[in-house]
Amino acid sequence: MTETTLAIANDIEARFPQCVTPDERGGYEGYLIEAGKLVEFATALRDEFGYDFLSSVTGVDYLPDEKMEVVYHTYRSTGGGAFVFKVQTPRQTPSVPSLCGIFPGAEFQEREAWDLLGIHFQGHPDLRRILMWEGFEGHPLRKDWKEAYYESDAKPFDSRWPVGEIYRAEDENPFKGNVVYPQGFDPDKWTPEGETALYAGMHEVETDEAMHTDQIVVNLGPQHPSTHGVFRMVATLDGETIVKLRPVMGYLHRNHEKIGERNTYLMNIPFTDRLDYLSSMTANWGYVQAVEKLLGPKTAAPERAEYIRVIMAEFTRISNHLMAIGALLNDLGAYFTPMLYALKERELILDIFEATAGSRMMCNYYRFGGLARDLPAGVYEKMRDLAFERLPRQIDELDRYLTENEVVIARCEGVGVLTPEEAIAYSAVGPVLRASGVPYDVRRADPYGIYERFDFDVAVRYHGDVYDRYLVRLDEIRQSIRILQQALDDLPEGEIMAGKPKYSMRVPAGEAYGRVEAPKGELGFYVVSDGSANPWRYHVRAPSFINLTALSKMCEGDKVADAVIILGSIDIVLGETDR
């Protein structure tokens, strides 16, 4: 904790005596708040102490202690480290006040904690399941919830190691016998209550129009070519104007976090590749960083590994933004020509990933304390050619083709506007936040790795519309090239791993939050260790998921055709949204 943070913490303790106490558990940080004072405390934290950005809301099930905990990570939008606070509640009837009225960005995260852990948030405006379906039995992230194919709490399973008598779980569970429904639930007579609740608030939204017209509710998706996967938008239309919109996700959900809590720590590294599968290197880094905090200084990565981590992360950012720009132009109706120009450069970056990590997309390259392997012969020269010669030239060409295009300007300027205040309130991150005039970038606001060594600018635009979100990504590609040029010039020789790689290890008990500036914004991993070889709690703060909280705000007042490009300008990947 810095001196500034410590001083603020002392002021907060004085402001809230008795109801705010330091978390004194070994390996833990932050403050425990009485549930009855939570709303008052959060309001003061935002208005009096400047922690106006609620980044992450995480539920944790402490089964042996018969309690649940909600963990909040807040930051100042001007930069600096986290202020962490927590609320504990009895496990049998877990209930805490909702913070949606203070931090609207908590809406989807609280719904997720209700859906997966059964924590009730008093006063939440729309507390429904968000990732599971209404006929699902129980809350799957609870530690005593067992799935139909349950074999053991933690991997490696005894049937695989050391005994090695493998069997298929399906063989032990006859077809149709692997589903558990809630008591009294008959799927043949099911009325989708969640859908009824969803549609209930979508009809007859009051408008300022002098002439009364009928409003209709339409669904865009989940099978729609412009929803970037199985994603759905339910919109109330007055003519062609959107007066209300709600995003619906979860169609791709596979309970990534439940599987992550069963895996060993090392097993989760390739599993993070499957989140934002267009940006696996940065997903590796965020998770590895969290576990390295738990392991302590002994796992600090060597200098060469730190430089290569930055190089791979910035190539990943360029690759992602090329894909995002190409896909946005597809959404605008340009079909595939701009996308092909973008994909051509992305393929050259994926060549580097394949040569180094062995895979183009699921890279599994970062390790606790370093990297899986060093750069093979010829890759460094290829990196220099891309960073110093080809990419600057090709990005300028893409800029010339697209930025002043009259169709791009007409369709994107003034569409999907999100003000700076709204962007902060809705916990927006990445290009979505910076296009609204908030120059917040984790690499500068709360540096990690060796980013403080590099000279680069935080890309920021000030209109908060689709056009500026496109421009910010173009600006960020150029800044990533600047970082790459410096990193490649300064890349030292040496080891790429601290110590000998281990298949499995016991991680000291405690908690850690590792966050990186992924291409889509702040990607965070909250990990709780109980001292074993498997995480007790493994939570992903997914920018694709949380950035969607502001989608309704961006779309209301625009045309139904604009909803497609507004969604495209957020740049989501459903593997990360649904997890």
Side-chain angles (χ1 to χ4, degrees), residues 27-38:
Y28 284 72
E29 62 175 340
Y31 287 79
L32 298 172
I33 315 297
E34 285 185 9
K37 291 286 186 179
L38 178 62

Side-chain angles (χ1 to χ4, degrees), residues 149-429:
Y149 290 155
Y150 174 80
E151 181 174 342
S152 175
D153 276 333
K155 293 181 179 179
F157 293 155
D158 291 340
S159 63
R160 303 187 183 187
W161 184 88
V163 178
E165 296 178 357
I166 311 288
Y167 66 88
R168 296 177 70 245
E170 292 86 345
D171 294 339
E172 304 296 314
N173 294 267
F175 184 62
K176 293 186 178 180
N178 62 340
V179 178
V180 179
Y181 294 117
Q183 187 174 3
F185 181 88
D186 184 348
D188 296 327
K189 300 176 181 178
W190 173 55
T191 300
E193 296 176 4
E195 293 291 289
T196 302
L198 171 65
Y199 287 124
M202 299 299 294
H203 289 283
E204 292 301 320
V205 180
E206 292 187 12
T207 66
D208 296 330
E209 298 296 326
M211 180 182 293
H212 176 77
T213 57
D214 290 336
Q215 297 175 357
I216 61 170
V217 178
V218 300
N219 283 282
L220 288 80
Q223 287 82 24
H224 190 284
S226 292
T227 54
H228 296 244
V230 280
F231 178 75
R232 173 178 163 214
M233 295 182 284
V234 182
T236 300
L237 306 181
D238 192 343
E240 290 195 21
T241 301
I242 298 170
V243 294
K244 193 175 184 68
L245 182 141
R246 288 183 181 175
V248 183
M249 67 281 285
Y251 298 98
L252 199 62
H253 179 67
R254 71 263 192 212
N255 217 328
H256 175 104
E257 295 176 12
K258 185 74 169 182
I259 300 170
E261 290 170 10
R262 180 163 298 174
N263 287 342
T264 65
Y265 284 93
L266 189 65
M267 285 178 180
N268 277 337
I269 298 176
F271 202 55
T272 64
D273 293 335
R274 276 77 181 166
L275 290 165
D276 180 357
Y277 38 76
L278 302 180
S279 307
S280 77
M281 290 284 195
T282 46
N284 283 182
W285 197 357
Y287 170 65
V288 162
Q289 184 187 126
V291 178
E292 285 176 346
K293 287 182 178 181
L294 288 168
L295 291 171
K298 65 182 179 181
T299 55
E303 281 282 291
R304 181 173 175 82
E306 290 282 20
Y307 274 89
I308 295 175
R309 282 180 173 187
V310 169
I311 289 167
M312 291 304 187
E314 295 310 314
F315 270 126
T316 298
R317 194 177 318 279
I318 296 170
S319 170
N320 179 91
H321 287 350
L322 286 169
M323 192 78 172
I325 290 169
L328 177 63
L329 267 292
N330 269 12
D331 294 338
L332 283 165
Y335 196 50
F336 227 72
T337 301
M339 175 65 98
L340 287 173
Y341 276 85
L343 284 177
K344 184 171 66 172
E345 307 312 313
R346 177 174 176 266
E347 285 298 301
L348 297 175
I349 295 173
L350 298 191
D351 286 345
I352 289 172
F353 293 167
E354 183 178 18
T356 306
S359 176
R360 302 180 73 78
M361 290 178 65
M362 309 302 173
C363 296
N364 185 23
Y365 183 53
Y366 290 56
R367 291 292 183 272
F368 310 129
L371 302 165
R373 58 189 65 84
D374 207 339
L375 303 178
V379 166
Y380 177 77
E381 291 73 21
K382 183 66 175 176
M383 287 175 166
R384 289 192 66 89
D385 177 63
L386 279 179
F388 285 90
E389 300 294 335
R390 184 176 177 105
L391 282 175
R393 183 174 67 248
Q394 296 302 111
I395 296 308
D396 287 343
E397 182 180 69
L398 199 65
D399 189 359
R400 286 195 301 272
Y401 288 156
L402 302 180
T403 303
E404 298 300 324
N405 182 288
E406 62 186 60
V407 176
V408 173
I409 292 172
R411 288 294 310 279
C412 296
E413 281 192 344
V415 173
V417 174
L418 195 65
T419 68
E421 296 77 15
E422 290 167 346
I424 294 169
Y426 281 97
S427 301
V429 290

Side-chain angles (χ1 to χ4, degrees), residues 46-84:
R46 182 194 65 183
D47 298 341
E48 299 176 28
F49 298 98
Y51 285 88
D52 54 348
F53 183 78
L54 175 64
S55 172
S56 177
V57 180
T58 309
V60 185
D61 180 7
Y62 288 103
L63 174 62
D65 300 327
E66 285 299 322
K67 66 183 179 184
M68 291 219 177
E69 186 171 276
V70 183
V71 184
Y72 303 85
H73 287 81
T74 58
Y75 299 88
R76 289 171 160 176
S77 58
T78 53
F83 188 90
V84 183

Side-chain angles (χ1 to χ4, degrees), residues 67-114:
K67 66 183 179 184
M68 291 219 177
E69 186 171 276
V70 183
V71 184
Y72 303 85
H73 287 81
T74 58
Y75 299 88
R76 289 171 160 176
S77 58
T78 53
F83 188 90
V84 183
F85 61 97
K86 306 159 186 179
V87 176
Q88 295 182 345
T89 179
R91 191 174 182 276
Q92 295 304 314
T93 56
S95 181
V96 299
S98 171
L99 294 187
C100 287
I102 304 161
F103 298 108
E107 182 187 349
F108 286 4
Q109 299 186 71
E110 289 182 352
R111 281 181 62 188
E112 179 184 11
W114 155 248

